[in-house]
């Protein structure tokens, strides 16, 4: 066991582990909604859209995280403005701003030859260089993320199934969507210092996908996603230490491998438990949570059949309702 414990006797690697676990908590909560709402493209666009702000801040001698935050806010506001005023779809608006911000970032980087040496750190992060101040910032971001997720849980659930249902229930779907985009922005900006702009999406998606194979409720999915994310951080740091590989890339690769392993194990368990019953096998789509119905239909399996030889059979038990899945 010394090959596990010995690396973390180094103070910088221990700080990296603590910071990575905090990032896993943030991405576990936000990533669950990203997978459930199908916002992976938004998360990736946010990660790439931070490049101009980070590059500009570095050239001006300002904290890179501040530049990343400014770029993310501009990206969020731009997506909302273009989709509303330009009458374009949400994905089209994201794509346009994503390419534009990325191109602007590359232009800024290429205009300064002295900046080329820092490009790798921007793209892939430097989790081994995390300081105590960074840990404090990640802890604050985690608390804010959890509080917002709790406050907007009902609107997020309703919005995930049907925007019209959310509006009918008076849950203000526009505000809920803005809050969710804000959470994605916060997760990307807070995770930037740990895994960089290109690899943050792996921690948003990988652990949430891995958890979705085992959890049947949103809170449990968030908890399991955090556990899978922390495990990916631990394994990634160990691979980086013993294999002399890039720490951020190793963590991202481990998160994706955990998602694949989770799907494989879940499929194997289903086949062992009920051989010959393919309908009990888990869905290959880990976003099965979003297949729940929009209404709380009562269970009709106990309704009596009509008398006579042609009586209809009782209606089969339907999938769980929205309120059941949100618990």
């Amino acid at each position: 066991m010394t090959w596990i414990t010995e690396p973390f006797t180094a103070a910088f690697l221990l700080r990296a582990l603590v910071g990575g676990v905090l990032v896993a908590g943030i991405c576990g909560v936000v990533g669950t909604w990203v997978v459930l709402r199908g916002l992976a493209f938004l998360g990736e666009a946010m990660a790439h859209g931070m490049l101009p702000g980070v590059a500009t801040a570095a050239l001006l001698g300002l904290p890179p995280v501040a530049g990343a935050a400014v770029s993310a806010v501009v990206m969020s506001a731009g997506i909302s403005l273009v989709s509303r005023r330009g009458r374009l779809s949400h994905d089209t608006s994201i794509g346009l701003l994503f390419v534009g911000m990325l191109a602007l970032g590359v232009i800024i980087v290429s205009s300064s030859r002295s900046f080329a040496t820092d490009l790798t750190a921007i793209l892939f992060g430097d989790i081994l260089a995390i300081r105590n101040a960074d840990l404090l910032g990640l802890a604050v971001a985690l608390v804010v993320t959890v509080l917002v997720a709790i406050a907007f849980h009902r609107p997020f659930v309703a919005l995930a199934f049907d925007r019209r249902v959310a509006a009918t229930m008076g849950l203000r779907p526009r505000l809920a969507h803005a809050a969710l985009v804000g959470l994605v922005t916060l997760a990307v900006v807070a995770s930037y210092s740990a895994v960089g702009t290109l690899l943050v999406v792996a921690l948003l998606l990988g652990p949430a996908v891995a958890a979705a194979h085992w959890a049947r409720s949103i809170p449990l999915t968030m908890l399991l996603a955090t556990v899978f994310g922390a495990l990916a951080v631990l394994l990634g740091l160990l691979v980086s230490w013993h294999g002399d590989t890039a720490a951020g890339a190793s963590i991202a690769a481990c998160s994706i491998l955990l998602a694949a392993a989770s799907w494989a194990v879940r499929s194997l368990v289903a086949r062992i438990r009920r051989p010959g019953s393919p309908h009990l096998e888990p869905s290959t789509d880990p976003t099965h949570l979003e297949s729940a119905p929009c209404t709380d239909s009562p269970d009709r399996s106990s309704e009596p059949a009509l008398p006579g030889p042609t009586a209809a059979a009782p209606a089969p038990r339907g999938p769980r309702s929205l309120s059941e899945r949100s618990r």
Side-chain angles (χ1 to χ4, degrees):
M1 297 295 291
T2 56
W3 66 276
I4 296 179
T5 59
E6 182 180 1
F8 298 104
T9 57
F12 72 93
L13 201 68
L14 184 59
R15 284 196 300 269
L17 177 62
V18 175
V21 170
L22 292 174
V23 171
I26 297 170
C27 292
V29 174
V30 180
T32 299
W33 289 115
V34 168
V35 171
L36 187 60
R37 289 288 314 281
L39 297 177
F41 186 38
L42 174 62
E44 184 178 0
M46 285 292 182
H48 289 77
M50 292 192 310
L51 183 57
V54 173
T56 302
L59 289 175
L60 297 177
L62 301 175
V65 175
V70 172
S71 281
V73 171
V74 171
M75 185 82 175
S76 301
I79 292 173
S80 177
L81 180 63
V82 172
S83 59
R84 289 184 183 180
R85 301 293 179 87
R87 297 183 179 180
L88 298 174
S89 67
H90 194 63
D91 286 346
T92 303
S93 303
I94 293 174
L96 288 174
L97 288 171
F98 159 52
V99 174
M101 295 289 281
L102 183 59
L104 179 59
V106 173
I107 290 173
I108 295 174
V109 171
S110 62
S111 64
S112 176
R113 296 182 179 179
S114 61
F115 199 81
T117 56
D118 298 327
L119 185 58
T120 300
I122 290 177
L123 296 178
F124 300 101
D126 191 4
I127 192 172
L128 301 180
I130 283 184
R131 301 167 299 175
N132 291 330
D134 298 325
L135 296 180
L136 179 60
L138 287 173
V140 172
L142 176 58
V143 172
V144 172
T145 299
V146 172
L147 291 178
V148 173
I150 292 174
F152 284 87
H153 180 73
R154 289 189 68 233
F156 285 171
V157 171
L159 187 63
F161 291 92
D162 196 320
R163 179 181 290 267
R164 292 170 298 179
V165 171
T168 302
M169 297 173 64
L171 296 177
R172 304 178 67 181
R174 286 189 177 181
L175 178 60
H177 181 74
L180 184 56
V181 172
L183 278 184
V184 175
T185 303
L186 177 62
V188 171
V189 172
S191 306
Y192 154 74
S193 60
V195 294
T197 60
L198 290 180
L199 301 178
V200 64
V201 182
L203 279 181
L204 277 174
L205 299 182
V209 169
H213 293 297
W214 304 96
R216 293 293 178 179
S217 68
I218 293 174
L220 182 57
T221 304
M222 292 178 177
L223 179 61
L224 286 180
T226 300
V227 173
F228 277 115
L231 181 59
V233 171
L234 175 63
L235 295 177
L237 289 176
L238 289 175
V239 170
S240 174
W241 177 272
H242 294 290
D244 195 22
T245 59
S250 300
I251 292 172
C254 287
S255 69
I256 302 303
L257 290 176
L258 283 176
S262 175
W263 171 81
V265 173
R266 187 67 183 88
S267 299
L268 180 61
V269 168
R271 289 190 176 93
I272 292 176
R273 285 183 176 179
R274 298 293 176 88
S277 299
H279 64 281
L280 293 175
E281 295 181 6
S283 171
T284 56
D285 181 7
T287 61
H288 57 270
L289 289 174
E290 60 183 330
S291 62
C294 299
T295 57
D296 290 323
S297 302
D299 181 12
R300 295 180 297 171
S301 59
S302 59
E303 294 180 2
L306 296 176
T310 60
R317 183 179 180 88
R320 288 179 295 175
S321 64
L322 171 61
S323 60
E324 290 179 86
R325 285 183 178 269
S326 63
R327 285 197 293 266

